Amino acid sequence: MGDAVGATRGSGRLERVFGSRQFFWLWIAQLISATGDWLGLLATIAVAARLSEGSEGAAIALVLASRVAPGFFLATAAGVLVDRLNRKHVMIVCDLGRAATLFVLPFVDTLAGLVIASFVLEILTMMWSPAKEAVVPNIVPKDKLTTANSLNVAAAYGMFPVAAGIAAMLAKFAEWLPDEGWVDTWHLNETGLAFYVDGVSFLLTALIIWKIAIPVRSKTER
């Protein structure tokens, strides 16, 4: 494993800042993934408010609870499961799963369906994150790990303003769409567009991760 990490070290500007080109692309994938997470959360809250039937606060709280609950009860099990699998494959499958769920969400018209979809998204995110964290030491030299961790935190929490800006632009774009049947058929409203863009972001993340050279652990190591 040490040789694999050493092979990622280089002398270019990217290597000096990120430690390796592999981590740079993983960080880009995390930027896109984090933006998608925030965008999806904003859209989910908006849909929960629309489906609330007068109990807006309770509906939003229920949806948010479905995003938080898996972390309390399944985080340890997810970490153990991820540690026994090929982490690169786990991230790709989770991204594809999140994309598929988000492409279905524009057609969900019940609060129960929204809660189930939110729960599924959180489970997949909960598996993606530890897989990503476990990959970092394999592609970043030891002396760059602190910097890598800081960059990860910045990517996770710093993309909320970007997601909010994208949500605002999508809302404006939805207003410009013609009042025609195909717009209603595909639910190309403010939240529907957000879910579609979010789904595409996870497809892009899966493609980036697929192209990253991540050292494969032996069965014994897993």
Side-chain angles (χ1 to χ4, degrees):
M1 186 177 297
D3 292 340
V5 173
T8 67
R9 186 188 293 273
S11 57
R13 181 175 298 178
L14 281 181
E15 287 79 0
R16 289 197 296 271
V17 176
F18 293 93
S20 71
R21 288 185 178 271
Q22 288 91 330
F23 177 70
F24 168 73
W25 285 109
L26 181 62
W27 187 71
I28 293 297
Q30 189 177 357
L31 285 180
I32 298 171
S33 178
T35 304
D37 281 335
W38 287 118
L39 182 61
L41 181 61
L42 292 173
T44 300
I45 291 173
V47 173
R50 175 167 56 83
L51 298 175
S52 62
E53 297 181 352
S55 303
E56 183 175 315
I60 293 174
L62 183 61
V63 170
L64 291 178
S66 68
R67 299 293 296 264
V68 174
F72 283 108
F73 301 107
L74 301 174
T76 301
V80 172
L81 177 62
V82 168
D83 202 43
R84 296 177 180 273
L85 300 173
N86 183 305
R87 291 154 179 169
K88 179 176 180 176
H89 293 169
V90 168
M91 287 189 286
I92 292 173
V93 170
C94 286
D95 279 333
L96 294 177
R98 290 192 286 186
T101 304
L102 286 159
F103 288 144
V104 171
L105 266 171
F107 305 93
V108 172
D109 57 2
T110 65
L111 188 59
L114 188 63
V115 169
I116 292 171
S118 298
F119 186 83
V120 170
L121 285 172
E122 186 59 26
I123 291 291
L124 294 172
T125 299
M126 197 169 58
M127 295 184 67
W128 190 93
S129 295
K132 183 265 301 178
E133 295 293 342
V135 161
V136 172
N138 294 334
I139 59 177
V140 177
K142 273 187 177 180
D143 60 321
K144 294 289 185 179
L145 281 176
T146 301
T147 301
N149 291 332
S150 299
L151 289 169
N152 283 338
V153 172
Y157 296 101
M159 300 310 292
F160 176 77
V162 176
I166 293 174
M169 288 190 292
L170 291 174
K172 281 293 183 183
F173 181 72
E175 294 177 0
W176 296 337
L177 289 176
D179 188 14
E180 297 181 5
W182 61 271
V183 174
D184 293 331
T185 299
W186 293 100
H187 298 272
L188 299 178
N189 52 22
E190 175 184 349
T191 53
L193 287 172
F195 287 135
Y196 287 132
V197 170
D198 194 3
V200 171
S201 75
F202 287 120
L203 291 180
L204 180 58
T205 302
L207 178 62
I208 292 173
I209 291 174
W210 176 62
K211 289 181 172 293
I212 298 175
I214 297 175
V216 178
R217 298 173 302 155
S218 65
K219 289 183 177 180
T220 304
E221 288 178 311
R222 293 199 299 270

